[in-house]
Amino acid sequence: MAKPSRAYVCQECGATSTQWAGKCPACEAWNTMVEEAGLGASGATGGKRSGKVIDIQSLASGSANTERIITGLNEFDRVIGGGLVPGSALLIGGEPGIGKSTLLLQVAARLAQADGTVLYLSGEEALSQVRLRAERLGLGDAPVGFAAETGLASILRTLENGKPPQLIVVDSIQTLWSDLLESAPGTVSQVRMCSQILIQFAKRSNAALVLVGHITKDGQIAGPKVVEHMVDTVLYFEGETAHQFRILRAIKNRFGPTDEIGVFEMAGDGLREVPNPSELFLGDRDAASPGTAVFAGIEGTRPVLVEFQALVAPSPLGTPRRAVVGWDSSRLAMILAVLETRCNLRLGAHDVYLNVAGGLRINEPAADLAAAAALVSSFVGHALPSGCLYFGEVSLSGAIRPVGQMALRLKEAEKLGFSTAVVPQKLDRESRKSGIELEPISHLTDFTATLAGTGESGANVS
Ligand code: TYD
Ligand code: MG
């Protein structure tokens, strides 16, 4: 047998080098190269040098056998595209303490209660701890198989000895280790190797595999990107630990959409599903203060109403502060530049703070108008009408451009009792039929002039 090769592996990006370096030659991160033993000539393949003739089949014949496993936790099922796909692998990342273990225990217990077979492998918590949590969640009687095991060889042996479960949860992939490698658990090679072997097992046995992955300081799933490439679905569980809202977001999904979100609320008895997030996000809003505007956004297939909050105040500093939470900072810079140049608002000497209430992150350009409305409202010190909402993309010229799914946004707003909407001029026929009073505007100046009360109303409904 050949001597195992030695290599230095970057713990950030997974790049390998035969020599140690202070700075990774690939991703240029400092102090991330760690010596890890590579595979010998025999390795994961079992040392077979010669291959075998593979059996080629036609894609057209036979059925796909993708009957999904419905876990019963609706928000989770929806985010992954309608339940778990047998034989698939899913990676779920999130900061420590965000609720990954709680979520997966709830998923496992729901499935077990519905007569599914589940194995929950924990490398982080002991049986008594997980039992305590299950009791707290009111799921103490769910027949979930549990093992506090981290050795991959024993896990595989157990799994292959008997009927494989429908769902295998591994909490977390960073705690597993394979004796095929000398490196410590949690290193890039171990994470990669253990994931690969488990994924192969899942494919062979048709079990759905869920891996928990820790994330690094800058929000990436620890271990190389290659784990994200190996799995079928990557989810992030996010939210502010100080807030009770938690958002489950699909980043990659081979079996469903990637723009879907699931909203949960962390309560004393575990995660509660939030079927109507808008009500939650707008729950304790203070509509009477200047600087708040409601945006009707779309997250996946669902409309979600959120509040943009802005604070614009004269700055004591030479270079004013610009801080933004929940939105893109370069987008904020663009809106400020448009307000300054096209609408003659002198914002240059002001500190600007912008926040999306509730811990949601908005990526849609459709939010431009709501952000601008909140900023202008704070700047002039007038509160916006309380039953009014905003959406529309702002171009660099200040023109308001139409956005997608306007009728759906308006419908949600109507359901939640909003009476008016400031929207782009170019509306589709369906949106015009909305029960909400529409105030179409074609340029940002229409809006700023109305708010400052200096011009004639921009509400020229067509
Ligand atoms: P946990 O699932 O252990 O997080 P992760 O696995 O992502 O590290 O969640 C731990 C946090 O959730 C902890 O700070 C306490 C809180 N929590 C509740 O508020 N209610 C509950 O019912 C449970 C089980 C946890
Ligand atoms: Mg955990």
Side-chain angles (χ1 to χ4, degrees), residues 95-103 125 133 136-137 171 266-270:
E95 284 174 21
I98 206 75
K100 301 180 293 296
S101 306
T102 309
L103 176 72
E125 288 158 298
R133 174 178 297 164
R136 179 173 167 184
L137 303 176
D171 188 4
M266 182 60 98
D269 55 354

PDB file of all heavy atoms in Angstrom, residues 95-103 125 133 136-137 171 266-270, ligand 1:
ATOM      1  N   GLU A  95     -26.161  30.061  12.218  1.00  0.00           N
ATOM      2  CA  GLU A  95     -25.300  30.403  13.346  1.00  0.00           C
ATOM      3  C   GLU A  95     -25.622  29.541  14.557  1.00  0.00           C
ATOM      4  O   GLU A  95     -26.744  29.059  14.679  1.00  0.00           O
ATOM      5  CB  GLU A  95     -25.521  31.874  13.712  1.00  0.00           C
ATOM      6  CG  GLU A  95     -24.843  32.798  12.754  1.00  0.00           C
ATOM      7  CD  GLU A  95     -25.181  34.247  13.021  1.00  0.00           C
ATOM      8  OE1 GLU A  95     -25.609  34.566  14.142  1.00  0.00           O
ATOM      9  OE2 GLU A  95     -25.011  35.042  12.091  1.00  0.00           O
ATOM     10  N   PRO A  96     -24.653  29.386  15.464  1.00  0.00           N
ATOM     11  CA  PRO A  96     -24.942  28.605  16.672  1.00  0.00           C
ATOM     12  C   PRO A  96     -26.093  29.242  17.451  1.00  0.00           C
ATOM     13  O   PRO A  96     -26.175  30.465  17.542  1.00  0.00           O
ATOM     14  CB  PRO A  96     -23.647  28.714  17.487  1.00  0.00           C
ATOM     15  CG  PRO A  96     -22.607  29.200  16.552  1.00  0.00           C
ATOM     16  CD  PRO A  96     -23.282  29.897  15.436  1.00  0.00           C
ATOM     17  N   GLY A  97     -26.988  28.419  17.930  1.00  0.00           N
ATOM     18  CA  GLY A  97     -28.079  28.905  18.770  1.00  0.00           C
ATOM     19  C   GLY A  97     -29.267  29.442  18.006  1.00  0.00           C
ATOM     20  O   GLY A  97     -30.236  29.922  18.586  1.00  0.00           O
ATOM     21  N   ILE A  98     -29.233  29.370  16.681  1.00  0.00           N
ATOM     22  CA  ILE A  98     -30.339  29.929  15.903  1.00  0.00           C
ATOM     23  C   ILE A  98     -31.552  28.993  15.950  1.00  0.00           C
ATOM     24  O   ILE A  98     -32.695  29.418  15.780  1.00  0.00           O
ATOM     25  CB  ILE A  98     -29.881  30.254  14.450  1.00  0.00           C
ATOM     26  CG1 ILE A  98     -30.732  31.352  13.847  1.00  0.00           C
ATOM     27  CG2 ILE A  98     -29.871  29.046  13.544  1.00  0.00           C
ATOM     28  CD1 ILE A  98     -30.413  32.706  14.383  1.00  0.00           C
ATOM     29  N   GLY A  99     -31.314  27.700  16.155  1.00  0.00           N
ATOM     30  CA  GLY A  99     -32.438  26.759  16.268  1.00  0.00           C
ATOM     31  C   GLY A  99     -32.406  25.601  15.282  1.00  0.00           C
ATOM     32  O   GLY A  99     -33.442  24.987  15.025  1.00  0.00           O
ATOM     33  N   LYS A 100     -31.239  25.276  14.751  1.00  0.00           N
ATOM     34  CA  LYS A 100     -31.150  24.179  13.769  1.00  0.00           C
ATOM     35  C   LYS A 100     -31.541  22.842  14.395  1.00  0.00           C
ATOM     36  O   LYS A 100     -32.322  22.083  13.841  1.00  0.00           O
ATOM     37  CB  LYS A 100     -29.717  24.067  13.203  1.00  0.00           C
ATOM     38  CG  LYS A 100     -29.218  25.303  12.523  1.00  0.00           C
ATOM     39  CD  LYS A 100     -27.807  25.134  11.998  1.00  0.00           C
ATOM     40  CE  LYS A 100     -26.750  24.981  13.072  1.00  0.00           C
ATOM     41  NZ  LYS A 100     -26.562  26.140  13.952  1.00  0.00           N
ATOM     42  N   SER A 101     -30.966  22.577  15.588  1.00  0.00           N
ATOM     43  CA  SER A 101     -31.257  21.300  16.229  1.00  0.00           C
ATOM     44  C   SER A 101     -32.730  21.221  16.614  1.00  0.00           C
ATOM     45  O   SER A 101     -33.359  20.170  16.486  1.00  0.00           O
ATOM     46  CB  SER A 101     -30.396  21.117  17.476  1.00  0.00           C
ATOM     47  OG  SER A 101     -29.046  21.274  17.142  1.00  0.00           O
ATOM     48  N   THR A 102     -33.276  22.333  17.069  1.00  0.00           N
ATOM     49  CA  THR A 102     -34.695  22.354  17.436  1.00  0.00           C
ATOM     50  C   THR A 102     -35.558  22.067  16.208  1.00  0.00           C
ATOM     51  O   THR A 102     -36.466  21.239  16.254  1.00  0.00           O
ATOM     52  CB  THR A 102     -35.052  23.749  18.024  1.00  0.00           C
ATOM     53  OG1 THR A 102     -34.105  24.060  19.033  1.00  0.00           O
ATOM     54  CG2 THR A 102     -36.443  23.770  18.590  1.00  0.00           C
ATOM     55  N   LEU A 103     -35.248  22.746  15.107  1.00  0.00           N
ATOM     56  CA  LEU A 103     -36.026  22.556  13.879  1.00  0.00           C
ATOM     57  C   LEU A 103     -35.981  21.098  13.427  1.00  0.00           C
ATOM     58  O   LEU A 103     -37.015  20.496  13.121  1.00  0.00           O
ATOM     59  CB  LEU A 103     -35.471  23.461  12.774  1.00  0.00           C
ATOM     60  CG  LEU A 103     -36.108  23.304  11.398  1.00  0.00           C
ATOM     61  CD1 LEU A 103     -37.516  23.880  11.407  1.00  0.00           C
ATOM     62  CD2 LEU A 103     -35.298  23.989  10.311  1.00  0.00           C
ATOM     63  N   GLU A 125     -24.830  16.623  21.267  1.00  0.00           N
ATOM     64  CA  GLU A 125     -25.615  16.515  22.496  1.00  0.00           C
ATOM     65  C   GLU A 125     -25.814  15.052  22.857  1.00  0.00           C
ATOM     66  O   GLU A 125     -25.885  14.192  21.982  1.00  0.00           O
ATOM     67  CB  GLU A 125     -26.969  17.189  22.299  1.00  0.00           C
ATOM     68  CG  GLU A 125     -26.869  18.692  22.249  1.00  0.00           C
ATOM     69  CD  GLU A 125     -28.048  19.334  21.555  1.00  0.00           C
ATOM     70  OE1 GLU A 125     -28.257  19.073  20.363  1.00  0.00           O
ATOM     71  OE2 GLU A 125     -28.774  20.073  22.216  1.00  0.00           O
ATOM     72  N   ARG A 133     -34.992  18.180  25.588  1.00  0.00           N
ATOM     73  CA  ARG A 133     -35.503  19.130  24.609  1.00  0.00           C
ATOM     74  C   ARG A 133     -36.792  18.617  23.981  1.00  0.00           C
ATOM     75  O   ARG A 133     -37.752  19.366  23.833  1.00  0.00           O
ATOM     76  CB  ARG A 133     -34.469  19.386  23.521  1.00  0.00           C
ATOM     77  CG  ARG A 133     -35.030  20.254  22.431  1.00  0.00           C
ATOM     78  CD  ARG A 133     -34.053  20.579  21.369  1.00  0.00           C
ATOM     79  NE  ARG A 133     -32.933  21.354  21.872  1.00  0.00           N
ATOM     80  CZ  ARG A 133     -31.803  21.493  21.192  1.00  0.00           C
ATOM     81  NH1 ARG A 133     -31.664  20.929  20.038  1.00  0.00           N
ATOM     82  NH2 ARG A 133     -30.812  22.207  21.680  1.00  0.00           N
ATOM     83  N   ARG A 136     -39.568  19.212  26.261  1.00  0.00           N
ATOM     84  CA  ARG A 136     -39.915  20.627  26.278  1.00  0.00           C
ATOM     85  C   ARG A 136     -40.767  20.995  25.062  1.00  0.00           C
ATOM     86  O   ARG A 136     -41.632  21.861  25.115  1.00  0.00           O
ATOM     87  CB  ARG A 136     -38.621  21.431  26.301  1.00  0.00           C
ATOM     88  CG  ARG A 136     -38.819  22.900  26.307  1.00  0.00           C
ATOM     89  CD  ARG A 136     -37.495  23.574  26.514  1.00  0.00           C
ATOM     90  NE  ARG A 136     -37.616  24.984  26.222  1.00  0.00           N
ATOM     91  CZ  ARG A 136     -36.593  25.821  26.236  1.00  0.00           C
ATOM     92  NH1 ARG A 136     -35.398  25.388  26.543  1.00  0.00           N
ATOM     93  NH2 ARG A 136     -36.764  27.083  25.948  1.00  0.00           N
ATOM     94  N   LEU A 137     -40.492  20.345  23.947  1.00  0.00           N
ATOM     95  CA  LEU A 137     -41.236  20.622  22.714  1.00  0.00           C
ATOM     96  C   LEU A 137     -42.552  19.865  22.666  1.00  0.00           C
ATOM     97  O   LEU A 137     -43.288  19.955  21.683  1.00  0.00           O
ATOM     98  CB  LEU A 137     -40.393  20.234  21.488  1.00  0.00           C
ATOM     99  CG  LEU A 137     -39.024  20.893  21.336  1.00  0.00           C
ATOM    100  CD1 LEU A 137     -38.287  20.319  20.142  1.00  0.00           C
ATOM    101  CD2 LEU A 137     -39.168  22.394  21.180  1.00  0.00           C
ATOM    102  N   ASP A 171     -26.289  15.776  13.091  1.00  0.00           N
ATOM    103  CA  ASP A 171     -26.129  17.070  13.767  1.00  0.00           C
ATOM    104  C   ASP A 171     -24.824  17.046  14.562  1.00  0.00           C
ATOM    105  O   ASP A 171     -24.779  16.526  15.653  1.00  0.00           O
ATOM    106  CB  ASP A 171     -27.339  17.275  14.688  1.00  0.00           C
ATOM    107  CG  ASP A 171     -27.379  18.670  15.293  1.00  0.00           C
ATOM    108  OD1 ASP A 171     -26.518  19.489  14.939  1.00  0.00           O
ATOM    109  OD2 ASP A 171     -28.258  18.917  16.134  1.00  0.00           O
ATOM    110  N   MET A 266     -39.594  31.551  17.311  1.00  0.00           N
ATOM    111  CA  MET A 266     -39.029  30.739  18.392  1.00  0.00           C
ATOM    112  C   MET A 266     -39.775  31.061  19.683  1.00  0.00           C
ATOM    113  O   MET A 266     -39.755  32.196  20.142  1.00  0.00           O
ATOM    114  CB  MET A 266     -37.538  31.036  18.535  1.00  0.00           C
ATOM    115  CG  MET A 266     -36.833  30.233  19.595  1.00  0.00           C
ATOM    116  SD  MET A 266     -36.872  28.446  19.376  1.00  0.00           S
ATOM    117  CE  MET A 266     -35.284  28.130  18.618  1.00  0.00           C
ATOM    118  N   ALA A 267     -40.437  30.063  20.215  1.00  0.00           N
ATOM    119  CA  ALA A 267     -41.211  30.271  21.439  1.00  0.00           C
ATOM    120  C   ALA A 267     -40.667  29.347  22.523  1.00  0.00           C
ATOM    121  O   ALA A 267     -39.723  28.591  22.299  1.00  0.00           O
ATOM    122  CB  ALA A 267     -42.677  29.980  21.160  1.00  0.00           C
ATOM    123  N   GLY A 268     -41.267  29.404  23.678  1.00  0.00           N
ATOM    124  CA  GLY A 268     -40.816  28.569  24.792  1.00  0.00           C
ATOM    125  C   GLY A 268     -40.959  27.092  24.505  1.00  0.00           C
ATOM    126  O   GLY A 268     -40.219  26.274  25.043  1.00  0.00           O
ATOM    127  N   ASP A 269     -41.906  26.755  23.647  1.00  0.00           N
ATOM    128  CA  ASP A 269     -42.096  25.333  23.334  1.00  0.00           C
ATOM    129  C   ASP A 269     -41.682  25.022  21.902  1.00  0.00           C
ATOM    130  O   ASP A 269     -42.334  24.276  21.193  1.00  0.00           O
ATOM    131  CB  ASP A 269     -43.556  24.930  23.587  1.00  0.00           C
ATOM    132  CG  ASP A 269     -44.516  25.818  22.818  1.00  0.00           C
ATOM    133  OD1 ASP A 269     -44.048  26.802  22.200  1.00  0.00           O
ATOM    134  OD2 ASP A 269     -45.723  25.534  22.805  1.00  0.00           O
ATOM    135  N   GLY A 270     -40.590  25.619  21.477  1.00  0.00           N
ATOM    136  CA  GLY A 270     -40.017  25.284  20.173  1.00  0.00           C
ATOM    137  C   GLY A 270     -40.409  26.259  19.082  1.00  0.00           C
ATOM    138  O   GLY A 270     -40.888  27.358  19.352  1.00  0.00           O
TER     139      GLY A 270
HETATM  140  P1  TYD B   1     -30.669  25.104  19.016  1.00  0.00           P
HETATM  141  O1  TYD B   1     -31.689  24.350  18.263  1.00  0.00           O
HETATM  142  O2  TYD B   1     -29.874  24.350  20.023  1.00  0.00           O
HETATM  143  O3  TYD B   1     -29.690  25.883  18.042  1.00  0.00           O
HETATM  144  P2  TYD B   1     -28.543  25.341  17.080  1.00  0.00           P
HETATM  145  O4  TYD B   1     -28.693  23.881  16.945  1.00  0.00           O
HETATM  146  O5  TYD B   1     -28.775  26.098  15.808  1.00  0.00           O
HETATM  147  O6  TYD B   1     -27.270  25.746  17.713  1.00  0.00           O
HETATM  148  O7  TYD B   1     -31.458  26.321  19.671  1.00  0.00           O
HETATM  149  C1  TYD B   1     -31.031  26.863  20.821  1.00  0.00           C
HETATM  150  C2  TYD B   1     -31.719  28.160  21.140  1.00  0.00           C
HETATM  151  O8  TYD B   1     -33.117  28.134  20.989  1.00  0.00           O
HETATM  152  C3  TYD B   1     -31.444  28.413  22.585  1.00  0.00           C
HETATM  153  O9  TYD B   1     -30.804  29.664  22.681  1.00  0.00           O
HETATM  154  C4  TYD B   1     -32.747  28.402  23.277  1.00  0.00           C
HETATM  155  C5  TYD B   1     -33.763  28.550  22.175  1.00  0.00           C
HETATM  156  N1  TYD B   1     -34.966  27.707  22.397  1.00  0.00           N
HETATM  157  C6  TYD B   1     -36.151  28.319  22.702  1.00  0.00           C
HETATM  158  O10 TYD B   1     -36.259  29.537  22.813  1.00  0.00           O
HETATM  159  N2  TYD B   1     -37.277  27.526  22.863  1.00  0.00           N
HETATM  160  C7  TYD B   1     -37.228  26.178  22.759  1.00  0.00           C
HETATM  161  O11 TYD B   1     -38.251  25.514  22.907  1.00  0.00           O
HETATM  162  C8  TYD B   1     -35.969  25.580  22.446  1.00  0.00           C
HETATM  163  C9  TYD B   1     -35.853  24.086  22.335  1.00  0.00           C
HETATM  164  C10 TYD B   1     -34.866  26.368  22.268  1.00  0.00           C
END
